[in-house]
Amino acid sequence: MTKPLKDVTTQHRQARLSIPHAREPAERLPPVEAVEILTTSVAVVEEQSFLLRVDEWLARRTANTAGVYVVFRDVHGVVRALVEPALADAHRGAFMNVPDGAPLVWVCRFRGRRAGRVTGTDTLEAVCRAGLAKGWRHAFYGATPEVLRSLVAALEASYPGIEIAEAVSPPFRPLTDVEMEEQIRRLAVAKPDIIWVGLGCPKQEIWMARYARHIPGAISMGVGAAFDFRAGAIKRAPPFIRQFGLEFLYRISQEPGRLAGRYFRVIPRFMLGIFRQEARRLFRSQG
C-alpha cells in the first residue's frame, strides 16, 4: 500500500509585503495550446517555441508590467498538486507550465499534440546564450551561497559578457515578513529580465505565485536542481539516459534516501490517474 502524500501547504506562509506589485498587464499574447494532465494544464511547446514566447513577452512588457512566472513541470509536481492547493493555484496562475518531465511529453503526444521536453537546466543555458545579444539581465534566488558563487562563476566563464544583476541565497528557514520584503526589494531594484528560482518543488512554485508580480517586467523561472547541476554540486544524468526519460533513476542513485520514496509513491499515482483520465475521455467520446 502506498503512503499518502502529505499536504504541506501550511508550511509555506505568505509574507505580508508593503511593496505594491505592478498592476499593468503585459500586452496579451496569443494563447498557447495546452493539455490537461490530471489537474495541471501543460503547455504544448518545444524548447524553441517556448524561447520565442519568452522573447515576445519581454519585448512587449514595460517597466510597470507585473512580473510573471514559468513552472517547469514534472510528474512529481503534477501529483503533488492533487493534494496541495497552494501548488495547484500556482499552476493555474503561471504564465506557462511547460513539460519538463518526459512522461508529460508522452501524454501530450498520446493525445495527438506535438510537444517536447523543456527542462529547466537546458532552458537556463539557452536563455543565457540568447540573452547575450539582447542584453537580458539575470538574477538568481535560492541555493547556498557556495552554490550561487559557483553557478555565477560557471555562467560568466561560459557566456562572457552575461549580465548578472543579483544573486540571493535565502536562509534555510521560514523568513520573517521584514526579511522577505528586503529580499524582494533587492530583486526588484536590480531590474532583472529573468529571475532564476532554485528552491525545489513545491516551494519555488508557491514563492513565484506569491512574489513574482512584485518584481516588474521580469519572468521568474523555477528551475529546481539546475543551480546544483550547473554549479557542479550534483552531476546531471548523461544524455542517453535523459533521452529515454530515465533521468529519475539516475537521480535516485545519487540521493536514494531523499528521492527513492518520493518516486515510488508518485509514479504509481500518476499512472493510475492517467489511466482513469484516459478512460473517462474514451467514455465521453463514445457517448
Side-chain angles (χ1 to χ4, degrees), residues 26-285:
E27 184 180 342
R28 186 174 296 276
L29 299 177
V32 172
E33 184 181 14
V35 168
E36 197 77 12
I37 299 180
L38 302 187
T39 60
T40 300
S41 180
V42 177
V44 179
V45 291
E46 298 174 303
E47 183 178 277
Q48 194 56 40
S49 59
F50 169 69
L51 293 174
L52 287 172
R53 192 161 182 87
V54 167
D55 188 21
E56 189 173 4
W57 187 89
L58 289 171
R60 295 188 183 201
R61 54 76 203 261
T62 72
N64 294 318
T65 298
V68 298
Y69 61 94
V70 173
V71 173
F72 292 84
R73 197 64 290 156
D74 58 3
V75 166
H76 171 236
V78 167
V79 173
R80 286 194 74 149
L82 297 174
V83 297
E84 296 192 33
L87 180 57
D89 287 345
H91 290 169
R92 284 189 286 271
F95 176 58
M96 275 191 285
N97 301 301
V98 298
D100 185 310
L104 305 189
V105 173
W106 298 338
V107 172
C108 289
R109 292 178 179 174
F110 178 77
R111 296 184 188 173
R113 306 297 191 274
R114 182 177 178 179
R117 286 192 73 188
V118 183
T119 71
T121 303
D122 292 333
T123 298
L124 173 61
E125 302 295 333
V127 170
C128 287
R129 189 181 309 114
L132 289 175
K134 298 175 181 293
W136 290 344
R137 292 165 57 81
H138 304 266
F140 299 87
Y141 186 83
T144 65
E146 295 75 22
V147 167
L148 274 187
R149 283 194 291 270
S150 297
L151 171 65
V152 168
L155 292 174
E156 288 177 336
S158 296
Y159 307 106
I162 187 172
E163 294 194 42
I164 296 181
E166 186 58 276
V168 179
S169 174
F172 285 79
R173 58 169 173 77
L175 273 66
T176 66
D177 291 357
V178 171
E179 289 173 322
M180 181 60 75
E181 181 161 339
E182 190 274 334
Q183 292 190 351
I184 298 301
R185 285 189 186 276
R186 280 180 62 183
L187 293 169
V189 166
K191 299 186 183 304
D193 299 294
I194 310 290
I195 303 170
W196 303 99
V197 184
L199 299 174
C201 176
K203 190 174 180 181
Q204 65 193 11
E205 288 81 10
I206 295 171
W207 185 93
M208 292 189 298
R210 290 174 176 172
Y211 306 120
R213 66 184 185 275
H214 291 280
I215 306 165
I219 299 183
S220 295
M221 301 201 190
V223 293
F227 284 22
D228 290 317
F229 292 148
R230 197 56 170 88
I234 298 176
K235 188 177 180 181
R236 194 181 183 194
F240 76 91
I241 292 179
R242 303 199 302 266
Q243 180 181 352
F244 289 102
L246 299 176
E247 193 167 2
F248 75 98
L249 291 176
Y250 189 85
R251 293 284 288 118
I252 289 173
S253 73
Q254 292 176 309
E255 300 180 79
R258 186 173 74 89
L259 297 179
R262 171 203 291 183
Y263 282 115
F264 290 124
R265 287 194 301 272
V266 162
I267 291 174
R269 292 168 189 270
F270 178 77
M271 294 176 65
L272 179 60
I274 291 298
F275 175 80
R276 288 173 172 170
Q277 191 173 34
E278 293 305 315
R280 288 193 295 270
R281 291 178 66 248
L282 179 61
F283 179 79
R284 286 196 298 268
S285 68

